Amino acid sequence: MGLTTYIAIYFIVWWVVIFAILPFGVRSQHEDGKVEDGTEPGAPQRPLMLRKVLITSVIAAVLVALLAWTIESGKVTLDMFPMPFDAKLYDLK
C-alpha cells in the first residue's frame, strides 16, 4: 500500500482513539463542587485536551505502524480473507 493509504488509515484510527480517550480523567464542575454561574454543571473542570491529543497521536501512530509492518511483511494479505461474493465460496457458476 502507498503512503497516502497509510495517512488515511492514520486519520481514521486517530479519530477512533480520540473518542475512546476523551472520557478518561474528566471531572465535571458539579463533581468538584465549583459550578461557575452561566455554565453547564456537567462541563469538564479541566479537560486536558493537549495531553489527550498527544496521547492519541502516539497511540494511533503505533497502531498504524504495527498494521503497516504486518501488511508490508506479508504476514497478512488480502487473499487470506474471503470476498463477500466469491464464486468459489458460494458454489456459484
Side-chain angles (χ1 to χ4, degrees), residues 18-29 31-32 42-49 51-52 55:
I18 191 73
F19 284 119
I21 297 277
L22 278 176
F24 290 110
V26 174
R27 291 191 50 87
S28 68
Q29 293 179 22
E31 290 173 332
D32 280 347
Q45 188 68 17
R46 294 182 61 216
L48 303 172
M49 285 304 295
R51 181 189 306 177
K52 291 178 182 183
I55 290 170

Side-chain angles (χ1 to χ4, degrees), residues 18-78:
I18 191 73
F19 284 119
I21 297 277
L22 278 176
F24 290 110
V26 174
R27 291 191 50 87
S28 68
Q29 293 179 22
H30 176 71
E31 290 173 332
D32 280 347
K34 302 175 186 174
V35 179
E36 295 184 27
D37 291 335
T39 63
E40 168 64 34
Q45 188 68 17
R46 294 182 61 216
L48 303 172
M49 285 304 295
L50 181 60
R51 181 189 306 177
K52 291 178 182 183
V53 166
L54 293 174
I55 290 170
T56 298
S57 298
V58 170
I59 291 172
V62 168
L63 290 174
V64 173
L66 286 172
L67 177 72
W69 175 78
T70 304
I71 291 171
E72 298 299 326
S73 68
K75 294 187 184 301
V76 174
T77 62
L78 198 55

Side-chain angles (χ1 to χ4, degrees), residues 76-87:
V76 174
T77 62
L78 198 55
D79 296 334
M80 293 178 176
F81 301 99
M83 294 295 129
F85 296 105
D86 190 1

